[in-house]
Amino acid sequence: MPPDIDAAVMNAVSQLDDSFARIGLTVLRGAGLRVGELLDLELASVIDYGPAGTWLKVPLGRLATEHMVPLSAATIAALDQRTTARGVCRPLPHPRTGELTDFVFVAHGRRLSQSGFATDYSLPSSPAGCVGSGVRRWW
């Protein structure tokens, strides 16, 4: 994506009223995640390595690989905002393992679904001056 369009899209994202869409898109873009990986993030996924920076342990996803990604200050701030807004929730069974897990993207005791998030994450295309739903392909 050209830098000017990326900046316009992320500016539009920062103006979204829906905190799930705003934070989710910021984290998707900042960490290079897929939607499924984003929704599978656990509270313990963010690891501070001191001088080496803060990294995100990306859960097993479509490629069945786990990896670490360095985080920018903006991405860390978005994750902090989400964990603060999340509050205290009971752990939920992980869909793959069945283990009780503290997911980041939880509301009212339930995980956010991919279809629910996909509906919201096409929103920034219009305010950013992009035509159609092409923005969905960029993430």
Side-chain angles (χ1 to χ4, degrees):
M1 172 178 350
D4 58 332
I5 294 176
D6 181 48
V9 170
M10 292 314 295
N11 184 44
V13 166
S14 70
Q15 305 302 316
L16 292 174
D17 292 331
D18 180 353
S19 67
F20 278 113
R22 183 180 62 253
I23 294 167
L25 286 168
T26 301
V27 175
L28 276 175
R29 183 76 180 114
L33 302 177
R34 294 178 179 88
V35 175
E37 293 169 334
L38 175 80
L39 298 176
D40 281 349
L41 286 180
E42 302 173 19
L43 291 179
S45 296
V46 178
I47 303 168
D48 185 0
Y49 286 111
T54 302
W55 292 63
L56 182 68
K57 180 180 172 187
V58 179
L60 293 173
R62 181 172 72 182
L63 301 176
T65 58
E66 197 170 73
H67 59 280
M68 301 289 286
V69 177
L71 296 177
S72 67
T75 307
I76 294 168
L79 285 166
D80 285 344
Q81 186 180 15
R82 179 64 217 136
T83 54
T84 300
R86 175 190 182 278
V88 177
C89 298
R90 63 181 169 81
L92 300 170
H94 195 285
R96 278 192 287 279
T97 65
E99 291 182 34
L100 292 179
T101 307
D102 286 316
F103 293 103
V104 173
F105 286 89
V106 176
H108 310 291
R110 294 178 180 253
R111 294 182 61 206
L112 187 61
S113 70
Q114 281 196 15
S115 61
F117 186 75
T119 301
D120 293 335
Y121 84 91
S122 62
L123 294 175
S125 61
S126 177
C130 301
V131 179
S133 61
V135 171
R136 297 180 85 160
R137 289 186 303 232
W138 294 341
W139 276 297

